[in-house]
């Protein structure tokens, strides 16, 4: 591993490069910033070999792009694409994005937004249940969101006009884009030919063998555990089966990931989390600024106090199994059978190996976790809103139910809670062990003076003078 041989003075630069490429997967001249691509190019050789050895990832670096091809061990519905305004992509936006990429791959050096929309619209005619009508505002907005996602990554660059003007009135507005073909081609490079797959499960996992011919199965398992450490906020032992659970307990394996990323591993009885104080690997910084992060931290503290109260123990239930089979079936049902090249189709069955291993293993003891009902969560956020509402962003002061939904979503993304619907207890949250590290939040109310000119985005509330909420905890965020 090259990271062991890099001079200590240069190691920080190498680790920053590793964090950038692991966090973004696609790096261009301007994405995620102007210094990322030169940094990756400086360490391209070392990164290429270390990422392949430790994680099974493939890294391709050119003069204009760097593209990481990760290995997916399981489907994760919790990592959706987002618009430039941080709204989640829906099915229509995903479809427009894929079709826009296809159109840009056949275009020249420039294209207008209306021309691209017309091309995508013609493609939608071949897809049942999908169309792009320029006279419908919802279709235009969805299409502009897809183009904005491409523009943020440098696939297209606005040369003239305004996409928002076209979305408001396609007869009066227009936008002209320069096309960066190298970025377009780097964006859609699936690890396997899609025409050869009969199931989305064929995109999961890596080939056996890897770099250790003596023990290919153990090498595969080791890389899978390392991938989990850099891809998940927390890796819980209860989520793993042997030999992955034993590997997570090995100091050497975890230290290898620490050395490459520059992050610090926090070990607890329930699992391991990499603590990213740099903010260059995490897509969500927590604790953080802004109303959502602040309220989420306060709610986590309230939950921890409730769970740890020995005089009033809460109910405990097992975590429900994640219906990955249902998700695979839904995705597979959308595959047009006419597009699969049958002679080379891969009959990969994602569940065959799991079933075989389950038959060989003894039935494990099913752990139980604290359960808190939705009513308590709703009432607690309402209480926090009454106590600190003057410090909240204006949009959340008037929408406490919406605030509750977004706060729960944030805690779920961090793998601190899980939403469940128990047959016996109703809707609520299962509390996962890592939430305990955020107990004991400290709250300070700071009153702004009338002469204060600048306020932070998370403190937007009532006109000055107004109190500002500052909440913190002793640990670092993931």
């Amino acid at each position: 591993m090259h990271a062991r041989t890099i001079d200590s003075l240069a190691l920080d630069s190498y680790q920053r490069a590793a964090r950038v490429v692991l966090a973004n997967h696609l790096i261009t001249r301007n994405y995620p910033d102007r210094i990322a691509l030169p940094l990756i190019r400086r360490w391209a050789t070392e990164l290429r070999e270390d990422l392949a050895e430790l994680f099974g990832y493939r890294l391709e670096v050119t003069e204009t792009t760097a593209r990481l091809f990760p290995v997916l061990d399981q489907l994760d519905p919790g990592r959706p694409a987002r618009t430039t305004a941080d709204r989640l992509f829906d099915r229509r936006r995903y479809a427009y994005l894929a079709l826009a990429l296809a159109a840009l791959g056949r275009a020249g050096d420039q294209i207008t937004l209306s021309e691209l929309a017309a091309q995508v619209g013609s493609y939608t005619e071949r897809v049942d249940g999908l169309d792009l009508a320029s006279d419908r505002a919802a279709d235009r907005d969805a299409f502009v969101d897809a183009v904005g996602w491409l523009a943020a990554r440098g696939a297209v660059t606005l040369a003239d006009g305004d996409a928002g003007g076209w979305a408001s009135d396609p007869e009066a507005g227009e936008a002209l884009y320069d096309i960066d073909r190298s970025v377009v081609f780097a964006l859609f490079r699936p690890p396997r030919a899609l025409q050869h797959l009969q199931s989305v499960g064929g995109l999961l996992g890596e080939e056996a063998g890897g770099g250790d011919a003596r023990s290919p199965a153990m090498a595969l398992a080791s890389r899978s555990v390392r991938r989990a450490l850099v891809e998940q906020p927390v890796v819980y032992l209860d989520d793993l089966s042997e030999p992955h659970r034993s590997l997570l307990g090995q100091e050497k394996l975890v230290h290898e990931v620490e050395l490459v990323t520059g992050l610090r591993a926090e070990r607890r009885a329930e699992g391991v989390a990499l603590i990213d104080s740099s903010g260059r690997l995490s897509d969500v910084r927590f604790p953080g600024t802004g109303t959502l992060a602040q309220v989420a931290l306060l709610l986590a503290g309230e939950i921890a106090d409730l769970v740890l109260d020995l005089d009033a123990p809460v109910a405990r239930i097992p975590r429900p199994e994640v219906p990955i089979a249902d998700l695979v079936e839904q995705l597979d049902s959308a595959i047009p059978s006419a597009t699969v090249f049958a002679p080379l189709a891969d009959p990969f069955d994602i569940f065959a190996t799991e079933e075989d291993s389950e038959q060989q293993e003894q039935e494990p003891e099913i752990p139980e976790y604290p359960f808190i009902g939705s009513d308590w969560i709703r009432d607690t956020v309402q209480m926090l809103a009454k106590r600190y509402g003057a410090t909240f962003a204006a949009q959340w002061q008037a929408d406490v139910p919406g605030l509750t939904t977004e706060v729960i979503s944030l805690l779920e993304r961090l793998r601190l809670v899980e939403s469940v619907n128990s047959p016996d207890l109703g809707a609520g949250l299962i509390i996962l062990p890592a939430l305990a590290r955020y107990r004991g939040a400290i709250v300070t109310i700071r009153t702004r003076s009338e002469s204060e000119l600048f306020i932070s985005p998370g403190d937007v509330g009532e006109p000055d003078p107004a109190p500002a909420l500052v909440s913190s905890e002793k640990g670092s965020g993931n």
Side-chain angles (χ1 to χ4, degrees), residues 54-106:
L54 296 180
F55 306 102
Y57 294 166
R58 187 173 88 254
L59 175 65
E60 292 184 359
V61 180
T62 69
E63 292 184 1
T64 57
T65 63
R67 180 72 163 92
L68 184 70
F69 296 87
V71 174
L72 300 180
D73 294 299
Q74 61 184 7
L75 297 176
D76 184 358
R79 299 183 184 181
R82 294 175 178 271
T83 69
T84 53
D86 204 36
R87 294 190 302 271
L88 299 183
F89 265 44
D90 54 16
R91 298 177 66 180
R92 177 166 47 179
R93 285 167 172 79
Y94 279 120
Y96 290 166
L97 175 60
L99 296 177
L101 272 174
L104 291 172
R106 296 176 173 86

Side-chain angles (χ1 to χ4, degrees), residues 228 232-236 239 270-274 414-416 434 478:
Q232 300 178 17
V234 185
V235 182
Y236 291 111
D239 292 342
E270 300 85 1
V272 179
L274 288 183
L414 294 166
R415 300 200 75 199
L416 303 179
N478 289 332

Side-chain angles (χ1 to χ4, degrees), residues 9 31 54 83 94 113 139 161 246 289 329 332 350 367-369 380 452:
L9 296 177
Y31 183 82
L54 296 180
T83 69
Y94 279 120
L113 191 59
D139 285 8
S246 297
T289 59
E329 184 177 353
D332 288 351
I350 180 178
E368 294 186 337
Y369 297 86
T380 302
E452 193 168 354

Side-chain angles (χ1 to χ4, degrees), residues 153-172:
R153 286 151 183 80
V156 294
T157 303
L158 185 66
D160 193 17
D162 176 26
W166 180 86
S168 299
D169 184 357
E171 298 296 330

Side-chain angles (χ1 to χ4, degrees), residues 347-375:
F348 181 83
D349 185 355
I350 180 178
F351 305 107
T353 302
E354 295 179 1
E355 291 174 356
D356 293 343
S357 62
E358 287 174 1
Q359 293 175 359
Q360 296 174 6
E361 294 180 2
Q362 296 182 353
E363 190 70 24
E365 181 180 351
I366 301 177
E368 294 186 337
Y369 297 86
F371 171 87
I372 297 178
S374 295
D375 290 343

Side-chain angles (χ1 to χ4, degrees), residues 56 92 145 175 258:
R92 177 166 47 179
D145 283 341
E258 288 180 310

Side-chain angles (χ1 to χ4, degrees), residues 218-477:
M218 188 59 66
L220 285 171
S222 297
R223 288 194 290 274
S224 178
V225 173
R226 295 190 197 99
R227 289 193 291 266
L229 284 170
V230 297
E231 292 171 0
Q232 300 178 17
V234 185
V235 182
Y236 291 111
L237 285 170
D238 288 340
D239 292 342
L240 305 178
S241 58
E242 292 295 344
H244 298 79
R245 187 177 292 127
S246 297
L247 289 168
L248 185 63
Q250 293 182 5
E251 183 69 30
K252 177 178 180 292
L253 184 144
V254 176
H255 178 68
E256 289 172 338
V257 179
E258 288 180 310
L259 184 59
V260 169
T261 61
L263 306 184
R264 176 178 59 84
E266 183 176 286
R267 293 176 174 274
R268 302 211 176 188
E270 300 85 1
V272 179
L274 288 183
I275 306 304
D276 178 22
S277 57
S278 71
R280 294 304 297 266
L281 181 59
S282 304
D283 58 343
V284 178
R285 190 169 181 83
F286 188 77
T289 59
T291 299
L292 290 181
Q294 297 276 305
V295 175
L297 180 60
L298 292 174
L299 179 60
E302 296 288 338
I303 292 174
D305 290 342
L306 178 66
V307 171
L308 295 174
D309 186 357
L310 300 180
D311 296 329
V314 300
R316 301 180 72 90
I317 62 174
R319 291 169 65 188
E321 294 185 7
V322 179
I324 295 297
D326 295 341
L327 180 58
V328 171
E329 184 177 353
Q330 292 176 26
L331 293 173
D332 288 351
S333 66
I335 298 177
S337 58
T339 66
V340 177
F341 190 54
L344 295 178
D346 181 3
F348 181 83
D349 185 355
I350 180 178
F351 305 107
T353 302
E354 295 179 1
E355 291 174 356
D356 293 343
S357 62
E358 287 174 1
Q359 293 175 359
Q360 296 174 6
E361 294 180 2
Q362 296 182 353
E363 190 70 24
E365 181 180 351
I366 301 177
E368 294 186 337
Y369 297 86
F371 171 87
I372 297 178
S374 295
D375 290 343
W376 186 92
I377 299 293
R378 183 170 55 252
D379 293 344
T380 302
V381 176
Q382 186 69 51
M383 176 270 293
L384 293 173
K386 290 181 179 178
R387 184 178 301 174
Y388 307 114
T391 70
F392 291 0
Q395 69 178 106
W396 300 123
Q397 293 183 27
D399 185 14
V400 176
L403 173 64
T404 305
T405 299
E406 291 298 322
V407 165
I408 292 174
S409 176
L410 175 58
L411 294 176
E412 284 190 294
R413 290 173 66 187
L414 294 166
R415 300 200 75 199
L416 303 179
V417 303
E418 282 185 8
S419 295
V420 296
N421 196 345
S422 169
D424 300 323
L425 301 174
L429 299 179
I430 282 180
I431 312 306
L432 300 180
L435 182 135
R437 79 183 307 273
Y438 299 105
R439 65 184 181 274
I442 301 171
V443 179
T444 303
I445 300 296
R446 175 176 59 84
T447 302
R448 304 189 190 98
S449 64
E450 294 184 3
S451 60
E452 193 168 354
L453 298 179
F454 300 101
I455 58 175
S456 64
D459 293 334
V460 176
E462 295 184 0
D464 285 337
L469 169 64
V470 179
S471 57
S472 61
E473 55 88 38
K474 297 181 180 180
S476 300

